[in-house]
Amino acid sequence: MSHNLPDRLVRTVQTLLACTMLLGSYAGAAEKLAHVTILATGGTIAGSGASSTTTVGYTAATVGVDTLIKAVPELSKVAQVKGEQVFQIASENMTNEHWLTLAKRVNTLLAQPDVDGIVITHGTDTLEETAYFLDLTVKSRKPVVVVGAMRPGTALSADGPINLYNAVLLAASKEAVGKGVLVALNDQIHSARDVSKTNTSTPDSFKTPELGLLGYIQGSKPYFYRASTRKHTADTEFDVSRLASLPQVDIVYGYANVGPVALNALVAAGAKGIIHAGVGDGSLAATVKTALVAARKQGVVIVRASRVGQGILARNGEANDDELDFVAADTLSAQKARILLMLALTRTSDTKAIQQMFYTY
Ligand code: DGL
């Protein structure tokens, strides 16, 4: 620098140079951050209540994705984020058509080189189902993280902002690559296949009781301790790209004094598959068993699941599945067995092949 310039000018130029280098380094660092797209579908994470103490009785699906992103400026420290409002619904209204639209959008985005991961914000009521549907239909190893909240953003200690921040940093992480679709709430990382909503209203509602969570998010970093042993995402045989609809599969529930009325009505309405969420290890009440056998004779595929929530539904345990030509759900809940059977029926109606899918996914 020339020595005959006034000191003040020299110092100004030096400061400007330092700022330019700092900004350049920030821009460079920002550019190095992964590109994560947030697909918003509604739910409590996008909900609002009448007061800060309203944690039940609020309205879900009222806040748009741009507002959700603006409410968490820290997102820009962990990823380059874009948002899309795919739907704006309470998730009890999620349908097969919504799932097909969402899966196709996810696959289109993940095929783009400028998208490194995806976060889906979702109501918690059917979050585990959407996550598992995507676990079977996403055709990429890039991270896909489904996130929700148990309290609306207007509530004291709302969990949505931190859950969204954690989900984005997880979707931006190298550690999440190839792990299948993940569910991240309450600082925990769960597999889409095994997680379920276990409490109607508390922030720790999502659990994987016996098979266990995959890891934690702590101090803006994901820590994995396990991985699923079942095939998922790019390794499944299911391709929804050309599907306009899914086969109708319904669930009937077992309980004391149950009769065949509900089952017969669903079969008469055209169900192609029935999941029987039985008591215990999938036991069949005599009257219902008769109706299931009749449904099987009409070509309806029957899967025996359990209502209890944990454990292996053993083939040929409480019923002779070989003789009845039924399928055993293994460790899938009834609501997840329905998803796998729907996708299986897009490929085959052979019950031996379908049983193998329940041992594979
Ligand atoms: N209506 C419920 C839903 O959209 C609200 C529950 C929630 O999102 O936590 O799933």
Side-chain angles (χ1 to χ4, degrees):
M1 184 67 65
S2 159
H3 293 291
N4 58 6
L5 286 175
D7 282 353
R8 200 157 43 83
L9 180 57
V10 171
R11 277 199 303 278
T12 305
V13 170
Q14 283 170 335
T15 306
L16 282 174
L17 275 175
C19 289
T20 308
M21 284 165 70
L22 194 61
L23 282 174
S25 67
Y26 278 147
E31 195 35 53
K32 286 198 188 75
L33 292 173
H35 293 75
V36 172
T37 300
I38 298 175
L39 299 181
T41 73
T44 293
I45 194 166
S48 52
S51 77
S52 62
T53 53
T54 306
T55 54
V56 289
Y58 51 81
T59 308
T62 60
V63 177
V65 64
D66 293 338
T67 307
L68 293 179
I69 293 170
K70 283 198 189 85
V72 189
E74 294 83 354
L75 293 177
S76 62
K77 295 201 179 85
V78 294
Q80 296 187 70
V81 166
K82 279 185 189 159
E84 286 184 19
Q85 193 76 44
V86 189
F87 321 122
Q88 184 69 294
I89 61 170
S91 77
E92 60 268 29
N93 296 318
M94 198 58 77
T95 63
N96 291 351
E97 288 66 38
H98 286 120
W99 282 350
L100 288 169
T101 301
L102 186 58
K104 289 170 184 174
R105 186 62 186 144
V106 168
N107 282 324
T108 300
L109 285 166
L110 291 180
Q112 295 172 199
D114 61 345
V115 175
D116 301 307
I118 285 183
V119 166
I120 294 157
T121 59
H122 195 291
T124 59
D125 288 357
T126 59
L127 190 150
E128 67 204 68
E129 297 179 47
T130 300
Y132 188 49
F133 181 78
L134 293 172
D135 198 45
L136 295 170
T137 57
V138 165
K139 298 294 116 181
S140 171
R141 294 173 52 76
K142 293 178 181 177
V144 174
V145 181
V146 188
V147 64
M150 296 302 291
R151 295 174 180 154
T154 47
L156 282 174
S157 305
D159 54 333
I162 186 65
N163 285 352
L164 180 60
Y165 173 75
N166 282 344
V168 168
L169 75 89
L170 181 61
S173 74
K174 292 191 173 24
E175 294 89 340
V177 172
K179 292 286 196 316
V181 172
L182 301 171
V183 171
L185 281 92
N186 195 37
D187 299 343
Q188 297 181 351
I189 306 169
H190 294 267
S191 74
R193 181 187 187 277
D194 303 320
V195 72
S196 50
K197 182 173 181 178
T198 65
N199 185 288
T200 56
S201 58
T202 56
D204 67 345
S205 178
F206 280 79
K207 290 191 169 67
T208 308
E210 292 187 356
L211 295 176
L213 51 74
L214 302 184
Y216 302 99
I217 297 164
Q218 192 177 75
S220 300
K221 192 171 173 355
Y223 297 87
F224 280 93
Y225 295 85
R226 298 185 333 96
S228 176
T229 59
R230 291 298 175 96
K231 281 191 176 180
H232 54 68
T233 58
D235 296 333
T236 80
E237 62 203 275
F238 305 118
D239 173 7
V240 296
S241 59
R242 290 187 178 74
L243 288 183
S245 64
L246 292 165
Q248 183 64 29
V249 174
D250 290 297
I251 301 173
V252 290
Y253 204 71
Y255 48 89
N257 198 46
V258 67
V261 172
L263 168 61
N264 291 337
L266 289 168
V267 172
K272 298 288 181 281
I274 290 285
I275 310 293
H276 179 268
V279 295
D281 189 14
S283 311
L284 305 173
T287 54
V288 172
K289 180 177 176 181
T290 304
L292 287 169
V293 168
R296 182 71 198 114
K297 285 199 173 81
Q298 294 176 51
V300 178
V301 175
I302 308 296
V303 175
R304 275 194 320 114
S306 172
R307 72 177 198 181
V308 304
Q310 308 305 316
I312 296 175
L313 192 296
R315 184 173 177 82
N316 297 325
E318 282 294 335
N320 187 333
D321 297 307
D322 289 350
E323 186 186 285
L324 298 167
D325 193 22
F326 291 174
V327 174
D330 189 53
T331 54
L332 284 179
S333 63
Q335 57 269 31
K336 292 188 182 172
R338 170 183 169 266
I339 294 164
L340 181 50
L341 182 55
M342 273 196 307
L343 289 168
L345 289 172
T346 66
R347 306 278 300 171
T348 178
S349 56
D350 176 277
T351 49
K352 286 184 177 46
I354 293 173
Q355 181 66 78
Q356 196 48 43
M357 292 178 188
F358 275 79
Y359 292 147
T360 304
Y361 302 112

